[in-house]
Each structure stands twice: as structure tokens, then as C-alpha cells.
Amino acid sequence: MEAKSDSAEQEEAVKKPSRRTFTEAARRAQIVNAAIEVIADAGYAKASFARIAREAGLSSTGMISYHFAGKDDLMREVVAEVSRVAEAYVLPRMEERTGARARLRAFIEASVGLAGAYPKHLPAMIDVLAHLRDDDPSRHGLLGTLDSAADVQVERMREAQRSGEFREFDPWVMVTAIRAAIDATVTRAVREPGFDAAAAGRELADLFDHATRSAER
């Protein structure tokens, strides 16, 4: 029955462009999510199309090849999907807060909390990035995005210093320390199933609130 469904889907993709867009997007998302599960559980090296197809409930690997040019293409989409999920999780929690201190706390707690909310996503992306070639555009794109985000955080800290909300310190050093602490905490969270990521996030938020706030606050 599934093979027939897969075949019908391919025929619809040719005959009905408007339906194809919706169907293909749903199927691609299904495959990407299955790839995330497989990579997180079995590792990049064992994330074959056959294993991903079984995880996705597909009858054959042909449906993966139909939607993705190859494993590298699928892995790039895994990185892109995890990045989208992370942004959608963290940014709204920051935007609903007022003031630099509150937003910094929200950023730290949400960044750590992401590991608890999506336990398979971060391990999968870390494993994929470790295997992407140094010249792969996805690797460079993500690293460039992270650097740009750090630059924005540095500038926001400078603004908070000018307003008197933050004390005087080197913003780049502080941003680097915050990111390193988040990365270390997230790494522990994904390796230790019983680790309380939410509590750790609150501890980090308290720590860096004390480290950054003005003595008058």
C-alpha cells in the first residue's frame, strides 16, 4: 500500500503543480525529521538512506532520492532545519522581554532550553557539521551566521553599557564567555538524559546577570 501511495505522489507532483508544492514540502519535512532522528540515535556514518526511509515510514529509498540530490543535499537541509527551529524557539522568548537584562536572561535560558525541547536536533546538527567538508557552503553559511549573531550581541551589550543598564566590561569577552557556557551546558544536556537543562539555564542566566548588570541595578 505504501509503495502505491509513493507512486501516486510522484504522479501528482507531475500533474498538479499547486498540489505538488504542498505535497513535496510535507514529504521533505518528513524525511528531514527522520534524518534528524537517525543521526541523533545512530550517528552520521550510519545514517543511510535505507535507515532514514524506515524511520520515515517510506517503502523505499527512491522517495528520498526524488526529493534530495544526495546525502550531502539532505544533510544541508538538516542543518538548515535545526537552525530554523532554534531561531523560532529563541527569538520570540527574547522579543517578549523588555530591557537588556531581561533579554539576556531570556536568550540564555532559551538557548539551553532548546536542548530539552528538541533533544535530537542539536546532536544531529553537531554530528553533521563535524562531517561536512571545510569548503561546504552550509558549513560556511552557518559559521557566518553565528559570527554575525555574536556581532549583534556585542553591539547590544555596548548599547546597554551606554544606557547604564550594564556595567563596563569588554563586550566581546562577555559574549564569548556566554556562548562557551551555553555550548558546554547544551553538550552535557544532550549527553546526559537526566540532566536538568532548564535549571542549568536559570543558573547560567543568574550568573551572567550578576556579571553584566550595573551596580546601580
Side-chain angles (χ1 to χ4, degrees):
M1 294 297 291
E2 183 64 23
K4 183 178 180 180
S5 175
D6 291 347
S7 176
E9 179 181 308
Q10 291 187 14
E11 291 177 4
E12 288 178 5
V14 173
K15 295 178 180 179
K16 300 180 180 179
S18 61
R19 177 69 177 277
R20 178 183 62 195
T21 300
F22 174 81
T23 302
E24 286 189 341
R27 183 66 87 183
R28 282 174 65 89
Q30 178 187 5
I31 294 168
V32 169
N33 286 326
I36 289 172
E37 292 284 332
V38 171
I39 296 166
D41 292 340
Y44 177 93
K46 295 182 179 179
S48 64
F49 274 15
R51 192 182 292 245
I52 293 170
R54 286 196 300 271
E55 178 69 29
L58 302 177
S59 62
S60 72
T61 60
M63 287 305 297
I64 301 179
S65 299
Y66 173 73
H67 289 284
F68 297 94
K71 186 172 182 177
D72 285 349
D73 186 28
L74 175 55
M75 294 303 108
R76 283 191 287 271
E77 188 57 30
V78 165
V79 172
E81 174 62 14
V82 175
S83 298
R84 285 193 290 268
V85 168
E87 182 175 343
Y89 187 86
V90 175
L91 286 183
R93 287 163 171 78
M94 292 179 63
E95 291 172 353
E96 67 185 16
R97 304 290 183 89
T98 302
R101 285 179 60 193
R103 285 178 180 153
L104 177 60
R105 173 176 290 277
F107 169 74
I108 293 172
E109 291 182 350
S111 296
V112 174
L114 180 67
Y118 296 92
K120 301 294 181 69
H121 282 57
L122 293 177
M125 184 170 75
I126 291 170
D127 202 5
V128 170
L129 288 175
H131 287 85
L132 286 178
R133 300 186 310 275
D134 289 341
D135 62 347
D136 192 289
S138 289
R139 183 182 180 87
H140 284 287
L142 180 62
L143 294 178
T145 298
L146 293 175
D147 288 340
S148 297
D151 291 340
V152 170
Q153 291 169 341
V154 166
E155 182 53 36
R156 286 178 177 171
M157 284 195 170
R158 289 196 178 109
E159 292 173 359
Q161 288 175 324
R162 288 192 289 268
S163 71
E165 193 168 358
F166 283 176
R167 68 174 181 82
E168 288 302 315
F169 53 80
D170 185 325
W172 182 87
V173 171
M174 189 65 72
V175 167
T176 301
I178 291 171
R179 292 177 67 182
I182 290 173
D183 288 347
T185 305
V186 167
T187 298
R188 183 176 176 187
V190 299
R191 289 178 178 174
E192 299 180 22
F195 182 71
D196 191 340
R202 290 192 295 270
E203 286 285 343
L204 284 184
D206 287 341
L207 174 65
F208 285 105
D209 180 47
H210 284 291
T212 56
R213 71 186 185 190
S214 170
E216 299 176 357
R217 300 284 173 165

